[in-house]
Amino acid sequence: MTEYKDATMLDIARELKVSKSTVSRALKDHPSIGKKTRQAIQDLAKKYNYHPNNIAYSLSKKSTKTIGVIVPMLSHYYFSTVISGIEELAYKSGYKVIICQSAESYEREVIVSQALLSSKVDGLIVSISRETVNSDHFKVYQSKNVPIVFFDRVCADMEVSSVTIDDYQGAFTAVEHLIREGRRKIAHFAGPPLLQITQKRIEGYKDALSAYGIPFDENLLIDCGSGLEQENGSMAAQEMLDRGIKPDAIFAICDPIAIGVMVTLKRNHVNIPDEVAVVGFCDEPIARVVEPQLSSLVQPAFKIGETSIELLLNQINGQDHIPEKRVLTAELQIRDSSSSTI
Amino acid sequence: MTEYKDATMLDIARELKVSKSTVSRALKDHPSIGKKTRQAIQDLAKKYNYHPNNIAYSLSKKSTKTIGVIVPMLSHYYFSTVISGIEELAYKSGYKVIICQSAESYEREVIVSQALLSSKVDGLIVSISRETVNSDHFKVYQSKNVPIVFFDRVCADMEVSSVTIDDYQGAFTAVEHLIREGRRKIAHFAGPPLLQITQKRIEGYKDALSAYGIPFDENLLIDCGSGLEQENGSMAAQEMLDRGIKPDAIFAICDPIAIGVMVTLKRNHVNIPDEVAVVGFCDEPIARVVEPQLSSLVQPAFKIGETSIELLLNQINGQDHIPEKRVLTAELQIRDSSSSTI
DNA sequence: TTAATTTAAACAACCGGTTGCGTAAACTTA
DNA sequence: TAAGTTTACGCAACCGGTTGTTTAAATTAA
């Protein structure tokens, strides 16, 4: 309990009057080491509570057995679930995971991606911040041959592997569902314009409308500003009502926005779903807690994490040389907020 | 874009026909390097897009400038907020943060704590899993003089720094509030028995009752099993109702449990707060989303994170030699679930 | 019994930085 | 101009592992 210094291979070697390399090999059961020598070394290692120094290992092997993950926000259920998926498979494969937040800031994203690069991660999994337009900080990884996998939010101008869900299809499904429920005046609360998901979901929204012969109305495409939080939804909804716009259904880019919308609607005594049906995206836990319970598109977050690390490991192990793009589908979970009782 | 190998100091040294040590010093503006030499070296470093190898740095300096964090679950708003607090101050001080989940598993906790030790973190911040009773895996840190700070959930048998909130006081406050609202038959939905917070909150609950002359009723102390999730609360509440027990107020160990309770009550047509008032603990975002909005004790999560890293850095920098225990207070946020309209 | 082969372990370079110490050249000072 | 200081940089060891190559001893074959 009071050994202030870690035992090293050299310590063991000296005590047993063998060489450092012999210790190294003995500890990994290398066949060229004699049985008694090996045993003696392993015994002493136990006794000294020897633990290999990962730093030294990494330096000599030029591999840290570590993969970096950058997400915008840890405090979103979606992202933390993706991370759980990543960790699961990473640990099984002997990899550690370093998790960083960009806090939705481009500047911070650049800093952490450089830090991870300096820390010599063997690979990187990223969902970019909503501010990010420039991808130079990720291109450095490519130039150094460190594989990257993007999930959910990708850099459009890079040729890399990615795991996304089919935003277009998800949005289309949601809107189609609303139409089939008899809604005609369907508004879409959209996200930050820079994000691909914003655009894809808008497309799905528009196409679903036109597929059912409903003309697109500019006024029903609501911009929620740069945030994806509840307040953004609340404010945008209030603004909409103030402008005298009253749809009979709302498809929101994400659950927090949807909930903000619901709060505002209820505050204005608009009945959900009778007067206005609401559908969100992501199926966060709160979706089952609000009243009425929120219909939402289930993103297979854990699966997205697993798939991301799978693609990454394939690249690290040199199996994939060309980027692979996996697209998973989001399934609609219908709850009370959109199943009309009319 | 196609340099497959990182430029090293040696590369720069060779090209400029100087020594490696000169490059090392020049890059950090060491005064003993001439102005022109320094400039030439720095210019070439830019040109080659040189980035120092952190691994090598760590090996020679015997410090990774990295601190490890182990939390039970990333997907809890509370924990991810604590982490944000930790990161904030850590980055400012030039430290990186490695985040790991124990997934509430003792076994996993041991594994990750050993991995972090092998990775030579300069310090560790932990909130233990609810299964953890043995703390040998943390004692190894002490034997190697790697400082540890516990937050929220601590190992009772270790002499280390910790940051906790005053669970006793929080529970007392909550129950006192309920009593002042005119409630007398107050139930407590308790957490996993092994956790200190479970015990402290039970104490606060009991003492508040007796402070107001209300006898403690064994039947009103409800065990929610080993989980802290919504379902645990739901099931325990249903069981309670089935046993014919009907309190007029419920203080739950945490918000998810409280919400589970609310769901069950509503399903059984019990009005909240008229028939039963409910108070939770943690003030997670969902507290403002359920209906009625849930009263809860606000844990200053971000502040807890900041305080934890502050204590840790003090120890790393050798300012603190004796463990320091900081106790923050939780403030009661009163909402509709407990403000009686009777 | 000696040469050929196998076995067990040592040697030493390497990974990419940091740093104490030594030293030649340039500059002061006497 | 010789001696004393600075200035600017090189040398080499070190951090703690990994690994290709040698070498000495033990074993086998001839």
Side-chain angles (χ1 to χ4, degrees), chain A residues 138-197:
Chain A
F138 294 130
K139 287 182 177 152
V140 182
Y141 277 76
Q142 294 190 302
S143 80
K144 298 193 187 291
N145 260 25
V146 180
I148 303 190
V149 171
F150 285 101
F151 74 90
D152 206 53
R153 306 187 193 165
V154 311
C155 276
D157 63 335
M158 289 181 71
E159 267 304 312
V160 289
S161 290
S162 63
V163 181
T164 51
I165 58 140
D166 193 335
D167 290 290
Y168 173 87
Q169 167 269 340
F172 192 101
T173 306
V175 175
E176 183 173 49
H177 156 67
L178 290 168
I179 295 172
R180 288 188 177 157
E181 286 286 328
R183 314 289 172 162
R184 298 267 124 190
K185 203 173 168 186
I186 302 169
H188 176 46
F189 279 59
L194 292 178
L195 295 182
Q196 277 205 355
I197 60 167

Side-chain angles (χ1 to χ4, degrees), chain A residues 46-120:
Chain A
K46 296 287 163 243
K47 181 181 162 202
Y48 281 173
N49 193 23
Y50 169 81
H51 282 285
N53 182 325
N54 258 331
I55 304 293
Y57 174 90
S58 298
L59 185 60
S60 65
K61 295 295 291 268
K62 290 173 149 300
S63 155
T64 53
K65 284 284 176 185
T66 297
I67 73 118
V69 176
I70 304 177
V71 295
M73 273 272 132
L74 237 33
S75 58
H76 278 39
Y77 184 78
Y78 170 70
F79 287 120
S80 44
T81 307
V82 171
I83 288 173
S84 297
I86 292 173
E87 282 192 324
E88 204 55 41
L89 229 152
Y91 284 135
K92 274 187 200 148
S93 313
Y95 281 80
K96 282 150 288 174
V97 176
I98 299 189
I99 301 158
C100 296
Q101 306 191 58
S102 63
E104 295 283 14
S105 144
Y106 167 69
E107 196 191 356
R108 183 70 158 266
E109 187 178 282
V110 172
I111 292 173
V112 299
S113 63
Q114 281 173 353
L116 288 175
L117 192 60
S118 277
S119 295
K120 303 292 169 188

Side-chain angles (χ1 to χ4, degrees), chain B residues 203-235:
Chain B
E203 280 178 44
Y205 160 73
K206 287 183 175 173
D207 284 5
L209 291 180
S210 79
Y212 285 83
I214 302 176
F216 168 66
D217 178 355
E218 189 76 49
N219 290 314
L220 292 178
L221 183 57
I222 315 280
D223 180 8
C224 297
S226 64
L228 284 168
E229 306 301 324
Q230 190 172 323
E231 304 86 61
N232 302 288
S234 272
M235 287 176 53

Side-chain angles (χ1 to χ4, degrees), chain B residues 186-202:
Chain B
I186 302 168
H188 176 45
F189 279 60
L194 292 178
L195 294 183
Q196 276 205 355
I197 60 168
T198 298
Q199 289 153 23
K200 291 288 182 65
R201 292 178 193 180
I202 289 177

